[in-house]
Amino acid sequence: AQSVAQPEDQVNVAEGNPLTVKCTYSVSGNPYLFWYVQYPNRGLQFLLKYITGDNLVKGSYGFEAEFNKSQTSFHLKKPSALVSDSALYFCAVRWDSGNTPLVFGKGTRLSVIA
Amino acid sequence: ETGVTQTPRHLVMGMTNKKSLKCEQHLGHNAMYWYKQSAKKPLELMFVYSLEERVENNSVPSRFSPECPNSSHLFLHLHTLQPEDSALYLCASSQELAGVYYEQYFGPGTRLTVT
């Protein structure tokens, strides 16, 4: 079955330190990968995507993610975390095999501590 | 978030009430979606409309009834809901082209409480 895993419910990081939010996906054709962020009482906001091309993708607010086909991963990273980055982060995947919908991970709550 | 708007932002309704959620997108997209977001559960896709035709219905109970009168508007009609239907209901839109995958843009959501 097509699935997306975010293995960490919560990630804590000190302000100024690098952050990583993990995402892995099941293999079922070519994946199209997305990261979204959700602030309290708000909808999901698009951060970045990988469709094809360079494995390192840069997105909004200084975030980036690296597509790793051999490890079936698409981890979200930022070199220096800000307190304002504290939010809920969702990884989402869509596969090119058939007319598949976007499948979301369960989300990872990021807390950046001053 | 001004690209996709949702009204109302908050709704409290009894189990015997009938209400509707409204979504409007100002992005010129041709696909719209309803999602349900419950605490500690993954985001659940409820309905997909592409070119104003429903293409996905993930076994959603009939007490939820979607309507897409045109490519910019999407409604979710609610009747005889259960307390477990209390959740954040998110609307999203995207541009769908064969073989091309674009990101979805989300509205702020309607926080629904069923009493």
Side-chain angles (χ1 to χ4, degrees), chain B:
Chain B
E1 290 183 3
T2 55
V4 182
T5 57
Q6 289 186 244
T7 54
R9 293 293 306 273
H10 300 271
L11 178 62
V12 179
M13 59 186 290
M15 289 191 285
T16 58
N17 291 158
K18 288 185 179 182
K19 296 286 184 184
S20 296
L21 309 184
K22 179 183 176 181
C23 175
E24 184 173 0
Q25 60 98 358
H26 312 272
L27 301 169
H29 290 163
N30 61 7
M32 296 186 77
Y33 311 79
W34 280 117
Y35 288 89
K36 177 183 178 182
Q37 186 178 27
S38 305
K40 300 187 179 183
K41 290 179 72 174
L43 209 61
E44 299 173 61
L45 178 63
M46 299 176 71
F47 299 104
V48 180
Y49 277 83
S50 180
L51 298 173
E52 301 159 42
E53 291 190 11
R54 189 191 305 180
V55 295
E56 185 91 22
N57 175 359
N58 283 353
S59 303
V60 178
S62 59
R63 57 185 182 268
F64 295 91
S65 175
E67 179 189 1
C68 187
N70 55 60
S71 60
S72 299
H73 293 87
L74 185 64
F75 295 89
L76 188 62
H77 304 300
L78 316 170
H79 69 97
T80 59
L81 295 191
Q82 304 298 310
E84 59 265 29
D85 297 322
S86 298
L88 182 67
Y89 288 84
L90 293 165
C91 174
S93 71
S94 69
Q95 185 64 18
E96 294 291 305
L97 293 173
V100 182
Y101 296 95
Y102 295 97
E103 59 273 18
Q104 294 180 13
Y105 289 85
F106 285 78
T110 295
R111 174 70 62 187
L112 174 67
T113 303
V114 181
T115 61

